[in-house]
Amino acid sequence: TPSTFRSQMFEAVEMNLSQRPNGCEDHKEWLTTGRSNGGIPEFVALAIPPRTAFFVHQHPGIELVFLVRGSLHEIRLSDPAHIDRHCTALESPFDLKNPDYRFVRNEFKVGAGGRWLTNEVGSIHQTFTEDEECLMVAVWPGRYMTFRDDQLPDGVFEPINHRADKEERDVFLHQGVKPCQHHH
């Protein structure tokens, strides 16, 4: 039911964010203002094909992801957890080449009822799929701060084969679906 889904979302978000540095602060801002790091979140649904690797990015606001089907993988900066949490530039002004930085690999598989994931403000990672697709819906900041290839350490991340500037965000219009008409 919608109320069960909503309560599961709030429980998962609170649990996941409370385990991350500054996550409780991010959660409180989202609950009290509806914003994250001052920005208004957006909704997106994605069907990510197998063997798709996204760009390495930092989250300028929290991201709430519900995995509907498949699995999603990531390589995450774990130590330090953040470099500059409040940087909102479109392209990173810093690199990830510090030899003291530590990265971890994670895999998230969908359970019978789906699975909630969260990314707090300032988290840095790369998401990708392996042999199966991933269907997900997300509330996200509407953009990321991206890293160029020359800002990344050698041998840590997956080769990128997806770029945001190549996305076809108006694909629904090309499939003959008309946008909603506003009634005044």
Side-chain angles (χ1 to χ4, degrees):
T1 67
S3 62
T4 301
F5 181 82
R6 188 174 194 271
S7 65
Q8 287 174 346
M9 175 190 72
F10 280 111
E11 288 172 19
V13 169
E14 182 177 11
M15 182 187 75
N16 290 344
L17 285 177
S18 69
Q19 296 172 10
R20 301 288 302 156
N22 302 99
C24 291
E25 172 188 327
D26 296 343
H27 185 242
K28 181 179 178 183
E29 179 190 11
W30 182 63
L31 286 178
T32 58
T33 69
R35 294 175 176 263
S36 178
N37 199 16
I40 299 172
E42 298 178 10
F43 175 84
V44 67
L46 296 173
I48 306 168
R51 293 170 295 288
T52 299
F54 289 88
F55 43 87
V56 179
H57 59 276
Q58 175 172 304
H59 291 264
I62 62 171
E63 179 179 63
L64 317 174
V65 176
F66 184 72
L67 298 181
V68 178
R69 182 177 66 229
S71 63
L72 190 64
H73 301 258
E74 74 170 1
I75 300 168
R76 175 177 294 274
L77 176 65
S78 62
D79 186 19
H82 311 111
I83 297 173
D84 181 352
R85 277 180 40 85
H86 299 290
C87 184
T88 58
L90 292 176
E91 191 171 281
S92 175
F94 52 85
D95 67 43
L96 300 176
K97 292 184 171 188
N98 185 322
D100 294 331
Y101 289 174
R102 298 292 169 248
F103 300 89
V104 295
R105 292 178 81 97
N106 297 305
E107 178 181 14
F108 307 104
K109 288 188 170 284
V110 175
R115 180 168 183 175
W116 280 102
L117 306 173
T118 56
N119 290 297
E120 79 278 11
V121 174
S123 60
I124 297 171
H125 71 151
Q126 177 190 39
T127 52
F128 57 97
T129 55
E130 289 188 344
D131 294 332
E132 63 181 333
E133 71 176 351
C134 178
L135 179 62
M136 64 182 251
V137 293
V139 176
W140 74 301
R143 65 181 183 80
Y144 298 123
M145 181 180 74
T146 60
F147 291 85
R148 296 183 319 271
D149 291 342
D150 67 336
Q151 294 175 300
L152 305 176
D154 293 333
V156 173
F157 294 98
E158 296 292 316
I160 300 163
N161 61 10
H162 176 274
R163 292 270 188 210
D165 59 347
K166 303 290 186 205
E167 287 178 349
E168 292 186 35
R169 294 189 176 213
D170 61 349
V171 70
F172 294 111
L173 297 176
H174 295 298
Q175 294 176 352
V177 177
K178 296 180 183 175
C180 295
Q181 300 298 313
H182 294 283
H183 300 284
H184 299 287

